[in-house]
Amino acid sequence: MTNILNYIKNVIKILIWPIIFIIGQFLLIIIFNAIFNTNKYNEIKLANQNLSKEEYTIIYNDYIKSNDYQNELNKFINSNLIIITVITFVIFFIIFYLVYKKKSNNYNDKITFNNIPILILIGVSLNISYNLTLSSINNIYHFTDAYNGVNVNIFTYIICTGILGPILEEYLFRGIIYNDAKKFNKPMKSIILTSIIFALFHQTGVQILYAFCLSFILIYFYEKYKNIIAPIIIHISSNIMNIFTCMIINKNNFILNLVLLFMSFTILYIINTKIIKKDLSTI
């Protein structure tokens, strides 16, 4: 019983970091909501200077209950998404980097230039193979609307979701949580626990499943190269490729999809045979 309680305490300790991260993001959204609300209140006040405070306050209260308010608020948040993401990145990168440095004494090997194309190819191939397979299944049995169109600004997506997000997530999940999980788990249990937490950090079922599978690959290459940059490169490549894969899927070009699917699986098979199996055979 004592061992179980100690294990739960250790899990709670490592869960504190993603919880703090989520709370930080939530607070930033609240701050930007407050900025929008203040601006709108002042606009209504200026447009109704002939009315009393009570009267234009009633107009404002009616406005925030309307659909127009929600639509304009969403547009405001989306238009400031890069600013919100950059602020989040700066704050938490400093925190995560300093914490990671204390936990990664044996992970200081350098990534050579020759390693980078392979890592990029892995991220791209993983994303293509997963999404094209899932979208094909979705065409037969519809279970998600994730492939119903791309409604995001490509530049914003690449900066926020494609680059800054993966950097923070790798320092958090592989750099901090995984290193802490190894202190009270055997290797495979550490990988599974980290992957579950990483998966649950994502929103939809499609993302959760992919994140769980991707985490195993990210941890493998983190351990292989002994450098957090390795999983960062794979993660960035996968996330950036995601928006282009969705565009390809929406073109409904069967031949193109089939060729890309074949190529991505072939690349992953070669990498598994030449790199992963070779490494495992030496253990």
Side-chain angles (χ1 to χ4, degrees):
M1 187 65 180
T2 303
N3 290 335
I4 295 174
L5 289 174
N6 287 333
Y7 188 85
I8 292 172
K9 287 179 182 178
N10 287 325
V11 171
I12 291 172
K13 283 180 182 179
I14 63 175
L15 283 174
I16 288 173
W17 290 109
I19 289 171
I20 290 173
F21 187 37
I22 291 170
I23 291 173
Q25 291 176 303
F26 180 70
L27 289 175
L28 266 177
I29 295 296
I30 289 177
I31 290 170
F32 274 79
N33 279 4
I35 292 171
F36 175 81
N37 290 341
T38 301
N39 290 341
K40 280 298 175 181
Y41 181 83
N42 290 333
E43 284 179 18
I44 291 172
K45 180 180 178 181
L46 287 172
N48 298 276
Q49 290 181 342
N50 58 319
L51 300 179
S52 66
K53 181 179 179 180
E54 289 75 17
E55 289 174 319
Y56 63 69
T57 299
I58 291 172
I59 295 173
Y60 171 76
N61 288 335
D62 288 338
Y63 166 71
I64 63 175
K65 296 174 184 177
S66 67
N67 291 330
D68 288 341
Y69 167 76
Q70 197 60 54
N71 291 334
E72 290 180 23
L73 176 60
N74 289 337
K75 287 180 181 178
F76 177 78
I77 295 297
N78 288 332
S79 65
N80 288 282
L81 192 57
I82 290 181
I83 296 173
I84 295 170
T85 304
V86 169
I87 294 172
T88 303
F89 179 82
V90 171
I91 293 171
F92 283 100
F93 179 77
I94 294 171
I95 296 170
F96 293 164
Y97 179 80
L98 293 175
V99 174
Y100 171 71
K101 278 298 180 182
K102 295 179 181 178
K103 302 175 183 293
S104 60
N105 295 330
N106 299 322
Y107 291 83
N108 299 316
D109 292 354
K110 291 184 178 180
I111 296 289
T112 66
F113 182 79
N114 292 334
N115 299 139
I116 295 175
I118 296 173
L119 295 171
I120 292 173
L121 199 58
I122 291 167
V124 170
S125 299
L126 284 168
N127 188 276
I128 291 174
S129 58
Y130 176 81
N131 282 306
L132 287 182
T133 300
L134 223 61
S135 66
S136 298
I137 297 171
N138 194 52
N139 288 334
I140 299 170
Y141 177 78
H142 184 79
F143 59 89
T144 179
D145 294 324
Y147 303 110
N148 284 359
V150 180
N151 298 315
V152 297
N153 180 282
I154 294 178
F155 177 76
T156 301
Y157 178 91
I158 289 174
I159 296 297
C160 299
T161 307
I163 299 173
L164 300 184
I167 294 173
L168 285 182
E169 289 181 13
E170 287 314 303
Y171 273 100
L172 172 59
F173 291 102
R174 258 57 63 182
I176 297 174
I177 291 177
Y178 172 63
N179 280 314
D180 278 346
K182 288 192 295 182
K183 295 176 182 177
F184 60 94
N185 282 296
K186 292 180 179 180
M188 184 50 69
K189 284 186 178 180
S190 303
I191 295 170
I192 293 172
L193 177 60
T194 303
S195 300
I196 289 172
I197 296 171
F198 179 60
L200 294 177
F201 184 77
H202 293 74
Q203 298 174 343
T204 65
V206 171
Q207 290 177 329
I208 288 172
L209 178 60
Y210 182 59
F212 180 75
C213 299
L214 179 64
S215 181
F216 282 79
I217 303 296
L218 295 172
I219 291 173
Y220 168 78
F221 282 97
Y222 175 51
E223 290 287 1
K224 175 179 174 61
Y225 291 104
K226 301 295 181 184
N227 193 315
I228 196 70
I229 299 300
I232 286 176
I233 293 172
I234 295 173
H235 199 160
I236 287 176
S237 303
S238 176
N239 278 24
I240 290 177
M241 190 62 209
N242 190 65
I243 193 167
F244 297 107
T245 304
C246 288
M247 288 178 180
I248 292 167
I249 289 169
N250 280 281
K251 287 185 177 180
N252 292 319
N253 189 323
F254 177 77
I255 300 299
L256 177 62
N257 289 0
L258 190 63
V259 170
L260 288 174
L261 193 60
F262 176 77
M263 288 175 62
S264 62
F265 274 122
T266 301
I267 290 168
L268 292 177
Y269 174 79
I270 293 170
I271 289 170
N272 179 60
T273 305
K274 300 296 183 179
I275 299 177
I276 298 176
K277 281 189 176 181
K278 186 178 178 180
D279 288 344
L280 293 177
S281 66
T282 61
I283 296 175

